Amino acid sequence: GQWCAAGGEVDPAALPFTVEGDTTDGESQVEPEGCGSSIGTAPDAVWTFTPDTTAYYTISLVSDGGPTLVLITTDCDDLAAGCVGSGDFYSATEEDFLLEAGVSYHLIVDGWSQSEIGAFTLGVSLSCVPDCEAVDCGGDGCGGACPNLCTSSEICDDANQCEDVSLKEGSTCSNAFQIKDLPFSVEGASTSGLYNTNAFGPGECTDEGLSQGAGGGSSDAVYAISPEVSGVYTITVEPE
């Protein structure tokens, strides 16, 4: 790990950060196996970045025939144990990574083979700060997900708050959507997290569902009808 300590530093107060480097006369200090690649015998260079804000950061690497690989690890002595991820910049030029405040990350510029050496430009910039302070679940505002604090009897509502599933209309038999006028047609969605995931059997509909039955693998949307006339009714469902 001493060679990592001797590398460059990325100042979190000076973002966006760019630096030009060259691995032509460098040495191969690390084998990236276990951190996004099984090969990487080219000379490498390293910069250490300790963010002051937990956020998504854009790592970029531009070269013309030079190194095309960036490994991100918290442990230079054991890349696999400290591996956060890696970026293959052979065709792409940038990639976002979620990095935590106060953690030191080593950005190792490397190449897939010994022929990938030469000049490069490494960049680090702030992409997006996730916001999970006022929510129980759902998205973090950056395309990722906040920790889900909902219990097994709760769902994540449209406001990213935990809601008792038994209170949501259409989620159980006791609070089913009511069909009043015929012909009846409705468009809906039983997307994951909106409704309960009970299983049901012929002639049986309970709020707890059944241990055996159909429909236990996906969310439900429950509709109820009380016919005024006995007869044969046609029920159709058209999935999209």
Side-chain angles (χ1 to χ4, degrees):
Q2 293 183 350
W3 67 279
C4 274
E9 291 281 343
V10 178
D11 184 358
L15 299 183
F17 168 90
T18 58
V19 62
E20 295 181 353
D22 196 314
T23 59
T24 302
D25 297 323
E27 297 180 2
S28 180
Q29 303 279 357
V30 63
E31 295 297 328
E33 184 173 1
C35 191
S37 174
S38 60
I39 57 177
T41 58
D44 36 57
V46 61
W47 277 263
T48 299
F49 176 44
T50 306
D52 52 15
T53 300
T54 297
Y56 291 88
Y57 292 87
T58 300
I59 309 298
S60 63
L61 182 68
V62 178
S63 68
D64 185 9
T68 60
L69 185 65
V70 176
L71 312 174
I72 304 177
T73 183
T74 58
D75 190 344
C76 280
D77 291 322
D78 191 342
L79 261 65
C83 182
V84 174
S86 63
D88 181 1
F89 299 99
Y90 182 79
S91 56
T93 58
E94 62 182 35
E95 189 171 338
D96 286 357
F97 296 90
L98 179 60
L99 306 179
E100 296 184 15
V103 178
S104 293
Y105 298 93
H106 306 293
L107 313 180
I108 304 172
V109 178
D110 206 339
W112 290 94
S113 65
Q114 292 182 342
S115 63
E116 286 191 353
I117 60 174
F120 64 87
T121 301
L122 175 69
V124 181
S125 61
L126 178 64
S127 176
C128 183
V129 179
D131 183 10
C132 296
E133 290 296 324
V135 301
D136 297 331
C137 50
D140 62 5
C142 296
C146 293
N148 190 344
L149 305 181
C150 300
T151 66
S152 59
S153 63
E154 296 176 322
I155 57 174
C156 189
D157 65 15
D158 294 337
N160 291 351
Q161 302 296 320
C162 294
E163 178 184 359
D164 188 338
V165 69
S166 65
L167 302 179
K168 187 174 181 66
E169 185 179 14
S171 64
T172 63
C173 294
S174 61
N175 64 352
F177 295 112
Q178 297 298 312
I179 300 174
K180 298 179 180 179
D181 299 318
L182 298 180
F184 171 85
S185 178
V186 66
E187 293 183 358
S190 61
T191 51
S192 178
L194 288 179
Y195 300 104
N196 211 335
T197 56
N198 290 331
F200 301 98
E204 298 180 273
C205 188
T206 66
D207 288 351
E208 294 78 21
L210 305 173
S211 59
Q212 300 291 328
S218 61
S219 299
D220 318 318
V222 184
Y223 293 82
I225 181 173
S226 299
E228 295 181 356
V229 178
S230 298
V232 177
Y233 291 81
T234 300
I235 299 174
T236 60
V237 177
E238 297 180 3
E240 294 183 356

